[in-house]
Amino acid sequence: MKRINLALAAIATSLAYLTAGGSAAAAYPEGPIRMIIPYTTGAGTDVMFRQITPYLEKELGAKIVLENKPGANADIGNEFVARAAPDGYTLIVNSTNVLLSPLMQKDPKYTVEKSFVPISKIATAQLLMIAHPSTPFKTFPEFVNYAKSNPNKLNFGGAGVGSPPDLMAELVRLRAAAPFTTVPYKGMGGVMTDLLGGNLDFTFTSSSNVKQFVEAGKLRAIAVSGNQRSPHYPNVPTFKESGVDVAPMADGFWWGMFAPVGTPEPIVQYISQAVARTLANPELVKKLEEGGYTPSPMTPQAYAAQLVQENGIWKQVVPKMLSK
């Protein structure tokens, strides 16, 4: 009898918890939502999401308070949200970094699988391979042939381990078997200065950032990520058209929204659906596309599946990149 009473008590407690959780989710949101940006004000993630914020506030029916927590390759912001209460009131917007940063540490304090719940992918940005016009190649196949014939002679300008240019370069190095030398920089500022000056041979960057230099003949566009060609460079083939698979960066670089693990499913779904409605707003879509971003909302389930697949690839790629 004692065991039966204990079992009944446990069931009653579980039902009370589920009822309370359901009520909380139904009432959500009851106050401001704290959105952590793990980069400085003015960084790409910050600029992109500040455009989205006023539209998302209307769909959520709540104020969004943006808070920049930069530092330690975004780990400060990532760890802050990983430790936050799973109530839907502290979220984070981050890029592929949320997958990569833990892979670069011996003892990571968080991982996507154990620390976060994916809410939705937000946007992608195509990456363009650009070269100085003095280089002896005009197409990606010509680049590969030259690199193989002249191992490590070509100099690639890297923006830092784990940055989009360096990730794309590593995928190209592995998938196309093209040997070249990485010249490390602290950010894209120095890379672009030396590339324009002819001190570097090539790099990868956001497709919308260098259009004026390509049009002026100061840089040469070689290939672009994405399943379709960039509207900014309709005559430049994709990497896929050029014969190389650069997955998981085939669509370029992505940004997404995450909540701490344990956040109630109804709240996650509510936010995800609000994000999808927001990114369907024609006015916002136009603004984002003008900045080089493609709205790319996904359901939590679809996004989680993508992250699992990507993480499997990065677990193989990152150790090779760090060993260089």
Side-chain angles (χ1 to χ4, degrees):
M1 179 63 71
K2 184 177 181 181
R3 289 183 178 179
I4 293 175
N5 289 337
L6 287 172
L8 289 173
I11 292 172
T13 300
S14 298
L15 288 173
Y17 175 81
L18 290 171
T19 301
S23 299
Y28 179 88
E30 295 182 301
I33 297 171
R34 192 180 191 185
M35 193 70 69
I36 304 302
I37 308 292
Y39 305 100
T40 57
T41 301
T45 304
D46 179 80
V47 171
M48 181 269 297
F49 197 73
R50 284 183 188 275
Q51 294 182 69
I52 294 172
T53 297
Y55 296 89
L56 182 57
E57 286 179 327
K58 293 179 181 178
E59 295 294 342
L60 285 172
K63 175 70 176 176
I64 297 175
V65 180
L66 296 181
E67 185 172 337
N68 297 85
K69 284 188 174 295
N73 193 29
D75 281 339
I76 290 177
N78 291 339
E79 291 174 16
F80 178 84
V81 176
R83 296 192 303 267
D87 55 11
Y89 290 98
T90 302
L91 309 175
I92 189 168
V93 171
N94 202 354
S95 61
T96 311
N97 164 276
V98 75
L99 285 177
L100 294 165
S101 189
L103 297 178
M104 298 179 185
Q105 303 173 39
K106 292 183 179 179
D107 185 24
K109 296 180 180 179
Y110 67 91
T111 62
V112 170
E113 303 98 318
K114 297 180 180 179
S115 307
F116 297 107
V117 176
I119 295 174
S120 176
K121 188 159 73 171
I122 296 173
T124 59
Q126 289 179 291
L127 287 175
L128 180 72
M129 180 179 180
I130 50 174
H132 190 268
S134 65
T135 53
F137 56 87
K138 294 182 179 180
T139 67
F140 188 79
E142 289 177 357
F143 158 79
V144 173
N145 290 335
Y146 184 85
K148 288 181 177 180
S149 301
N150 301 270
N152 299 314
K153 185 175 181 179
L154 293 174
N155 291 322
F156 155 71
V161 176
S163 66
D166 290 62
L167 294 172
M168 183 63 86
E170 192 60 30
L171 290 171
V172 166
R173 194 196 312 266
L174 292 172
R175 304 279 173 74
F180 53 81
T181 300
T182 296
V183 181
Y185 288 78
K186 294 181 179 179
M188 283 300 292
V191 172
M192 292 307 301
T193 297
D194 280 357
L195 182 62
L196 288 165
N199 297 315
L200 290 172
D201 294 308
F202 72 98
T203 192
F204 303 87
T205 189
S206 172
S207 64
S208 62
N209 289 345
V210 293
K211 188 177 180 181
Q212 69 272 29
F213 298 119
V214 173
E215 291 179 341
K218 295 180 179 180
L219 293 174
R220 179 183 295 153
I222 305 299
V224 68
S225 67
N227 293 318
Q228 296 180 344
R229 296 188 180 192
S230 168
H232 300 292
Y233 308 93
N235 296 322
V236 178
T238 64
F239 284 101
K240 186 175 182 180
E241 288 178 292
S242 302
V244 62
D245 176 14
V246 291
M249 297 190 76
D251 289 331
F253 208 54
W254 57 252
W255 291 264
M257 186 182 296
F258 300 84
V261 69
T263 301
E265 177 69 13
I267 290 179
V268 172
Q269 292 292 343
Y270 179 85
I271 301 170
S272 183
Q273 291 165 11
V275 170
R277 293 193 303 271
T278 299
L279 295 176
N281 185 302
E283 182 179 81
L284 176 60
V285 170
K286 183 178 179 181
K287 288 182 179 180
L288 291 174
E289 289 180 344
E290 287 174 350
Y293 304 104
T294 300
S296 309
M298 297 180 77
T299 65
Q301 294 79 8
Y303 193 28
Q306 176 184 319
L307 294 171
V308 169
Q309 183 180 30
E310 286 194 17
N311 215 27
I313 298 174
W314 289 128
K315 285 179 179 179
Q316 300 174 32
V317 173
V318 169
K320 294 178 183 179
M321 183 169 58
L322 295 177
S323 66
K324 290 183 168 38

